[in-house]
Amino acid sequence: MSASMKASQSAIRAVLKKGAGASVQGVQEGVLSKVWARSTELTIDRGEGCYVFDIHGNKYMDAAAGIAVLNTGHSHPKVVAALKEQAEKLVHSQINNYHNEPLYEFTRRIGAHLPEGLNHIYLDNTGTAGIEAAVKLVRQHTKRPHVIVLFQGMHGRSGLCSAMTSNHSIRNPLYYPLPSGFYQAPFPSAFRWKISEEEATERAVSGLRDVLRGNVRPDQVAALVFEPILGEGGFVPINAEYYRRVKELCDQHGILMVMDEIQAGYGRSGKMWAHQHFCGENVPDVMVSSKGIASGMPLSMVAAKKHVMDSFTPGTHGGTFNGNVMSLAAACATLDVFEEEGIVENSRVQGNTLKGTLSAIFAEHMPGSDVRGYGLMIGVECVNPEAAAYIKKHCFMHSNVIILSPTGLDGSILRIMPPLTINEEQVIALSQAIEFAVSDWKKGVMLQ
């Protein structure tokens, strides 16, 4: 680093340390768009494992993991080393023009981790871009125009993905008209509907049948796209019976099933892919992955059965940064961590412990709540939005624990998703921080 760059960096840090909140907000108001809703106003200097450190040296446990991106934790040494090595050789290798070693290495290795039959892949940069590619693929393959999604699903924020999403802040009327050709069916939400899982399954399957009877002809539907565990919708899992019946219905009408594993996949749920909790041998036809795939570097993957992916003929899709060589180097290092450190199994074990502890805490201090999820993808539906907001704020103020802003239809759902590298001691500390918050909420302790 040159002397002038070092001096500039030192000057910036000095300004930030004088008054991080005011200075950063001033920059944001003067230059940076205000479009991002923020969970904190921290100015972060570095990260390590399950922790981040602000510019004053304060340490925080990150129970959000970059919204389920940092499955290997912040700055895992293997990922950092791979990025350093790759940056010294090649930073950009446009996929139309060249092959490269990380591209070969990733495509060679990822097959061992993919569901059986989904052995052909397309690479892009983000989850949203992956969903857009998947929609183009299924339309091209089936020669059908329409797509069905499930209520409360979240598939991205582009124009097309906004049309697939039911969140009203994403489907902002000022963005209309959104792309057409998308229909919504119910998601099996037993807790929200206050019925049994069996009744919720029946209601949701019947709702899908109604869409196919009354809204769109089955022979005009290319695909059903859904998350095996709702992300922004509140970490609500589907169930095996719903999956089985819906897969049968899709197969009956020649409708492809597309699984959005962007948030729930890549070990987050305690299995490599969340739909493996429910699918048995009936794998989906297409699957989209991103977030945890490259430990913080931008990469997404569409995996499909060969006869489906073969519909993507040369030149029908692509992009400048598809399969970026730096991202692929990080993705290969991420696979090293998965294969050598057993973090998917750790997600299952630590997730079971954390879920069990949280279930007991909320049963005692906030009856009527619902603790759910798989692995280290745990949702807590509190009794009201105020309780969820209180717990998030309390954890940050009193325990230096970062939890995402509450989600769900009314903002009453906490999402707990620490890095998959979290250990037993850290799980205990996270549980204690949440118990402290829930206990104070029960006592009526006011937050400043």
Side-chain angles (χ1 to χ4, degrees):
M1 184 182 294
S2 68
S4 61
M5 289 179 66
K6 288 182 179 179
S8 176
Q9 187 180 70
S10 297
I12 291 170
R13 291 175 64 86
V15 169
L16 290 173
K17 286 187 175 183
K18 283 181 181 178
S23 60
V24 170
Q25 290 171 16
V27 171
Q28 178 174 323
E29 291 171 5
V31 179
L32 192 63
S33 171
K34 300 177 183 177
V35 73
W36 296 283
R38 298 189 178 275
S39 293
T40 78
E41 290 296 340
L42 286 178
T43 301
I44 296 300
D45 179 55
R46 64 186 181 91
E48 181 181 331
C50 291
Y51 301 99
V52 292
F53 300 80
D54 70 13
I55 55 174
H56 303 288
N58 299 310
K59 179 180 178 181
Y60 298 83
M61 177 179 283
D62 184 1
I67 314 184
V69 167
L70 298 164
N71 288 1
T72 60
H74 286 273
S75 300
H76 192 286
K78 289 187 174 71
V79 177
V80 172
L83 287 170
K84 286 180 177 179
E85 180 181 355
Q86 184 58 46
E88 292 179 345
K89 295 193 296 184
L90 188 65
V91 173
H92 178 62
S93 173
Q94 210 285 324
I95 200 166
N96 293 80
N97 296 333
Y98 313 107
H99 298 284
N100 59 71
E101 188 175 349
L103 176 62
Y104 165 77
E105 184 72 6
F106 181 76
T107 53
R108 181 183 68 83
R109 294 176 60 188
I110 190 61
H113 300 277
L114 291 172
E116 186 175 356
L118 300 187
N119 49 10
H120 279 60
I121 65 171
Y122 163 82
L123 299 172
D124 217 304
N125 313 117
T126 66
T128 295
I131 291 292
E132 294 228 11
V135 170
K136 287 181 70 173
L137 174 63
V138 297
R139 284 173 167 169
Q140 195 161 322
H141 178 74
T142 63
K143 299 178 174 58
R144 299 177 180 183
H146 300 302
V147 171
I148 297 175
V149 295
L150 299 186
F151 182 64
Q152 286 191 275
M154 163 62 172
H155 302 289
R157 296 174 183 268
S158 66
L160 183 140
C161 290
S162 294
M164 301 172 67
T165 296
S166 54
N167 186 313
H168 64 79
S169 66
I170 295 172
R171 295 175 62 92
N172 189 323
L174 296 177
Y175 298 155
Y176 281 30
L178 295 174
S180 61
F182 298 97
Y183 297 85
Q184 284 190 7
F187 188 96
S189 301
F191 183 79
R192 183 168 64 85
W193 289 340
K194 294 180 171 51
I195 57 179
S196 69
E197 198 70 47
E198 293 77 13
E199 291 170 316
T201 296
E202 186 61 42
R203 180 185 292 187
V205 173
S206 296
L208 176 58
R209 291 185 185 278
D210 287 344
V211 171
L212 294 172
R213 277 195 295 258
N215 296 87
V216 59
R217 284 170 38 187
D219 63 2
Q220 292 298 301
V221 177
L224 170 67
V225 182
F226 64 95
E227 301 166 281
I229 303 174
L230 289 178
E232 297 251 341
F235 285 15
V236 187
I238 60 165
N239 61 72
E241 179 64 12
Y242 174 82
Y243 185 99
R244 182 189 67 78
R245 292 179 61 181
V246 166
K247 187 68 169 71
E248 285 181 359
L249 189 59
C250 287
D251 290 346
Q252 176 187 339
H253 294 291
I255 298 170
L256 299 180
M257 178 181 281
V258 179
M259 201 60 52
D260 180 343
E261 290 268 8
I262 292 167
Q263 188 164 163
Y266 235 75
R268 172 63 46 190
S269 73
K271 291 184 180 288
M272 190 65 182
W273 307 108
H275 73 267
Q276 292 173 329
H277 290 282
F278 320 110
C279 73
E281 297 180 355
N282 295 315
V283 299
D285 301 288
V286 181
M287 181 182 74
V288 183
S289 176
S290 189
K291 288 193 179 286
I293 194 171
S295 297
M297 295 297 288
L299 186 67
S300 62
M301 173 180 67
V302 179
K305 296 175 179 177
K306 182 180 186 302
H307 72 282
V308 177
M309 188 61 77
D310 283 349
S311 298
F312 255 177
T313 53
T316 56
H317 196 56
T320 303
F321 297 102
N322 288 171
N324 175 265
V325 67
M326 293 292 291
S327 296
L328 286 168
C332 290
T334 300
L335 287 177
D336 289 340
V337 178
F338 273 59
E339 293 167 0
E340 296 168 12
E341 299 182 20
I343 65 172
V344 178
E345 174 63 9
N346 189 65
S347 174
R348 185 189 69 80
V349 172
Q350 302 300 344
N352 285 344
T353 299
L354 181 58
K355 182 181 173 184
T357 303
L358 293 181
S359 295
I361 290 169
F362 279 86
E364 178 181 354
H365 297 293
M366 196 182 291
S369 301
D370 184 44
V371 179
R372 56 185 178 242
Y374 288 84
L376 289 168
M377 188 174 185
I378 299 173
V380 180
E381 187 153 355
C382 300
V383 292
N384 56 51
E386 293 74 25
Y390 180 99
I391 293 167
K392 175 203 177 287
K393 186 175 181 180
H394 190 291
C395 284
F396 182 73
M397 290 177 59
H398 294 288
S399 303
N400 281 20
V401 169
I402 298 169
I403 298 174
L404 280 179
S405 297
T407 189
L409 289 176
D410 61 356
S412 62
I413 303 170
L414 298 169
R415 288 176 290 169
I416 315 298
M417 43 182 164
L420 308 190
T421 55
I422 193 170
N423 61 35
E424 183 178 356
E425 181 181 349
Q426 292 162 341
V427 165
I428 292 171
L430 176 56
S431 301
Q432 289 174 340
I434 295 173
E435 182 171 26
F436 182 19
V438 180
S439 176
D440 272 3
W441 177 86
K442 182 179 180 182
K443 296 172 185 174
V445 176
M446 300 293 291
L447 294 178
Q448 298 299 318

